[in-house]
Each structure stands twice: as C-alpha cells, then as structure tokens.
Amino acid sequence: MIDVVQLSHIVLLFFAGTLIGSFCNVVGIRIPAGKSIVMPRSSCMSCGTQLHYTELIPVLGWLLNRGRCRYCKQPVSGIYLFGELAGGFLFALLPYLIAEPRELILAYPMAALLIALTVADLKHRLIPNKLMYPALIFFFLLRLLIHPLPYYSYGLGFVLGGGSLLAVSWFFALRGKDGMGGGDIKLMALMGMIMGAKLVFICLLVSALLGSVTGSLLILAGKLEKENAYLPYGPFIAAGGLCALFFGDPLASWYMGLFH
Ligand SMILES: [Zn+2]
C-alpha cells in the first residue's frame, strides 16, 4: 500500500517534473533555432503575443485554454503538453522503475535530455549538436564516477550503439537515401555509454521495432508516403532507451530464453 507520505512525494515529483518538462520544451524548441532559452518569455507561435503567466503553468495552462491561444485562438502545438506530461510521469515514476538508487543520478538528467531531444526532433527534425556534445561530456564524467558495471561495458555500449546506426546510415547512403542523421548516431552512442553493452542492444531492438511499427501504421493511415517516407528517429531512440533502462534486464533474459 502507498501511504500518505509516499503519495505526497509522488505528487511533488510529478509537479516538479512538469516544470522541468516545460523547460525541456523551451530548450528543444529554441536551441535548434539558435534562440536564447532565457529571454524572451514564451509567446504564441501564431500571433506572437507573450503568454500570460497563467498560461505558463504546466499542463493546466494548456488544458484551461483547451490547447488554443487566448488571443488569436489558433491551436497550440500538443508538443508542449507532451513534454510537460512526460516530465511529470518520468520524474514521479523513476524512483520506482530504477532499482539501483545511485543510477537515479544519471536517470534524472537522462530523462530531461530525452524530452528536450524528442521535442527538438519532432519540431525541427534535428538533434542539435549544441545539446549532444555537452551531454556526451556530462554523462561521460558521471559514468567515470558511478559505474555498477565495469568500464569496458560502457565503452562497448558506446561503440555498439553508435556503430550500429553508423552502419545503417552507410547502408542508406549506398542506396542513395539519407535515413539516419548524425544526431541519431550520436544519441545511440550516448545511450550505449549510459546503459552499457547489454542494454543498448535492447535499446536498438526496441527503437527499431517501435519505429517500423509506427511507420507502417502511418503509411496504412495515409499520413506518410511509402516512397521517401521520413520519420524523425530520435523519439524512437528515446523511447527505446527508456524501455531498456526500465525493463531491459527482464527483457534480455526473456529474449535469451527464446534460444534455449
Ligand atoms: Zn496567438
């Protein structure tokens, strides 16, 4: 049973998570466009009116205005609501999904980074180097300090993750298509460095599965052309990474069990 103290922790973490998610939205939308993340205050994308402070309240602001600008009544992108809710749920649930407490020190910034990168990729179809390079250095330093697995596992994860997508991008390039972006390759390498060799394998599998299922459904629904279909891959890497982090060990045992 969850007691009152535990419940209040969950609610507080959820609220803090929506605020962080809201900040991640700003980072994901402004950094690829070369804008400052501090100034000016957020404004409507359609009419440019600066948002009222009540509209800046995560989740509630969006719901109260039914996803529309108060001034010009144009729809506000659902990406905002997505980033805030993802922040809320991830921050509230991480302590329950990550068994090893010290790993939370990596899991929290990783969740925030993945929200910002997902928003950037959905909005701009770009995983910006301005976020990826500092993230690679930041998580490299954290992994030097906190490493439940031996160092080589994280190094191998980095090479396997980045190398697999690099191979996919060469394969596409040989056929005259551009499939995988440099940002996707760096992000998968980062996932491998954070999670180690075994879990990055799960991340590769899950993200490929989610990407191809989503792509097929969108083609069937007529939302995506079959020829030169393009889906930003970053959100699938993010989803695959989180799945691997939360459920990777049981998934790996189940997968290995299939061959015995
Ligand atoms: Zn407006």
Side-chain angles (χ1 to χ4, degrees), residues 44 47 69 72:
C44 169
C47 67
C69 169
C72 67

Coordinates of all heavy atoms in Angstrom, one line a residue, residues 44 47 69 72, ligand 1:
C44 N 3.0 33.1 -28.2 CA 2.3 32.3 -29.2 C 3.0 32.2 -30.5 O 3.5 33.2 -31.0 CB 0.9 32.9 -29.4 SG 0.0 32.2 -30.7
C47 N 0.5 34.3 -33.3 CA 0.3 35.7 -33.3 C 1.4 36.4 -32.5 O 1.5 37.7 -32.6 CB -1.1 36.1 -32.6 SG -1.2 35.7 -30.9
C69 N -4.5 29.4 -28.3 CA -4.0 30.7 -27.8 C -5.2 31.5 -27.4 O -6.3 31.5 -28.0 CB -3.3 31.4 -28.9 SG -2.9 33.1 -28.6
C72 N -5.4 34.7 -30.3 CA -5.8 34.5 -31.7 C -6.5 33.2 -31.9 O -7.0 32.9 -33.0 CB -4.5 34.5 -32.6 SG -3.4 33.1 -32.2
Ligands
ZN1 ZN -1.9 33.6 -30.6

